[in-house]
Structures are given as C-alpha cells and as structure tokens.
Amino acid sequence: MNRFLLALLVAASTAGASVAQAQSADGYSGMLSYLTTATRIDGQALSGSSGAIAVNMAAGDLNLQANLHSMAVGHSASATVSARQQQQDNIHDMPLHASATLGGQALAGANGIASINQVSGSGNAELNSVVAVLADQGIRETTEEALASAGAVASAGGQGTAGGASSPGTRKVGVEASALRGFDGVLQLNQIAGSGNATDNQLSISVQPVP
C-alpha cells in the first residue's frame, strides 16, 4: 500500500512539473509572438476596384495613420487638406521581427486614387494626402509654399522598450511582382517595418478644364 501511494505521489509531481513547463512554454511563445508583427495585403484584395481607395493597416501599438483627399471644381475653386500627427513621450514595444508586404493579386486591374498606409511596429506616423482642383484659373506650378500650406505634419517619437537597433531582429517591407498589375491612376504607398518612423506622400494638382 505504501508503495502504491508513493507511486501516485511521484506521478502527481511529474504531472505538475509538465503543466508548469507547458505554461512556461506558452508564456514564452506568447512573448515571442508579441515581439513579432506582420501586416500583409494579399489575395484578390481590392482587385478591380475603382474610385477613391483608402487603406490603413497596422500591427503594433501607438501608430498614427491618415488618408486625406480634397477636391474642388469651379471658376475660382480651391482645395486644401490639413493634418497634424504627433506623439511624444510614449513608451511602446519594438518588435524584434516586423514585415509589411503587398502581395498576391492585390489592387490588380484597379484604377483611381489608391492611398495605402501599412505598418508593422510601434510609434510610427503615416500620411497620404491628395489635393486636386479643376478650375478656370489654368494650370499653376506647385511651389514649396503651396505644399506647406496643406498643413501636413507628421512626427513619430517615443521610447521603445524591446528590440532596439542593436537587437538581432529583422525588419522588411516589400511589394511582390504579382501585386498592382494593371493598376491605373494615382498610387500612394507608405510601408513601415520598425518603430519611431514618419512617412508621408503629398500630391497637389491644379488643372484647367478643356473648352
């Protein structure tokens, strides 16, 4: 009887150790997955679409994204956009491995204006803006002052808590050859893999109508 009880106790102790090891492994795997972020636009996403297309896609924390389109038609028409993206003194996690990919048949055969912000990481700022005017004033040259008047400001900052620049991680972005085939129009694409970055695309057009 004593030997039987001893065997039960040993079996229970072994089972407890196995459960503890499994929980520890799950916790470690969860931590590793948290330090790995990825975004991917794939398959037939937005293929054949037309018009104004705006996509914001983020994996991570404290990311700022905006797509702004402003258009006007008239004798003395005018259009502007205004955006201010700013963050300061934020504490975010920096993934060891990050990737942002546009693949598959995404946006194949699409046309119009496509503004895409895609990020994997934390503490980033992305902005796409389009200003278009159809007016009798004629075609005007866009100056640096005119671009500045759009009021677009992007500022990314903060302090990362993991996976700094010296970490042996990987960060990559990419557009596969199969994506965007046959796309026609204006394409704005911001792709970020990492942390603390700021990117923006600004397009300003003024066109005189055909008599």
Side-chain angles (χ1 to χ4, degrees), residues 42-82:
D42 204 345
Q44 302 292 326
L46 299 172
S47 61
S49 299
S50 62
I53 304 167
V55 178
N56 289 323
M57 188 176 188
D61 300 320
L62 302 172
N63 293 296
L64 304 175
Q65 297 174 309
N67 290 311
L68 305 177
H69 300 163
S70 180
M71 301 180 185
V73 178
H75 177 72
S76 300
S78 64
T80 61
V81 298
S82 179

Side-chain angles (χ1 to χ4, degrees), residues 134-188:
L134 180 63
D136 294 335
Q137 303 171 49
I139 301 175
R140 295 169 296 172
E141 181 180 358
T142 301
T143 63
E144 293 183 0
E145 291 76 12
L147 287 174
S149 67
V153 177
S155 174
Q159 180 179 357
T161 58
S166 60
S167 299
T170 58
R171 288 92 179 180
K172 58 183 179 180
V173 299
V175 177
E176 296 178 356
S178 57
L180 298 171
R181 288 189 175 181
F183 178 83
D184 186 18
V186 176
L187 174 66
Q188 295 178 306

Side-chain angles (χ1 to χ4, degrees), residues 8-106:
L8 287 178
L9 290 175
V10 171
S13 176
T14 304
S18 299
V19 171
Q21 289 175 357
Q23 290 177 345
S24 176
D26 290 342
Y28 185 67
S29 299
M31 182 184 71
L32 288 180
S33 65
Y34 186 71
L35 295 178
T36 302
T37 59
T39 58
R40 183 177 178 86
I41 302 175
D42 204 345
Q44 302 292 326
L46 299 172
S47 61
S49 299
S50 62
I53 304 167
V55 178
N56 289 323
M57 188 176 188
D61 300 320
L62 302 172
N63 293 296
L64 304 175
Q65 297 174 309
N67 290 311
L68 305 177
H69 300 163
S70 180
M71 301 180 185
V73 178
H75 177 72
S76 300
S78 64
T80 61
V81 298
S82 179
R84 181 172 294 273
Q85 298 169 295
Q86 187 172 2
Q87 50 180 289
Q88 185 176 356
D89 299 329
N90 286 324
I91 297 178
H92 53 73
D93 293 293
M94 301 176 67
L96 290 177
H97 305 284
S99 66
T101 308
L102 187 66
Q105 303 298 317

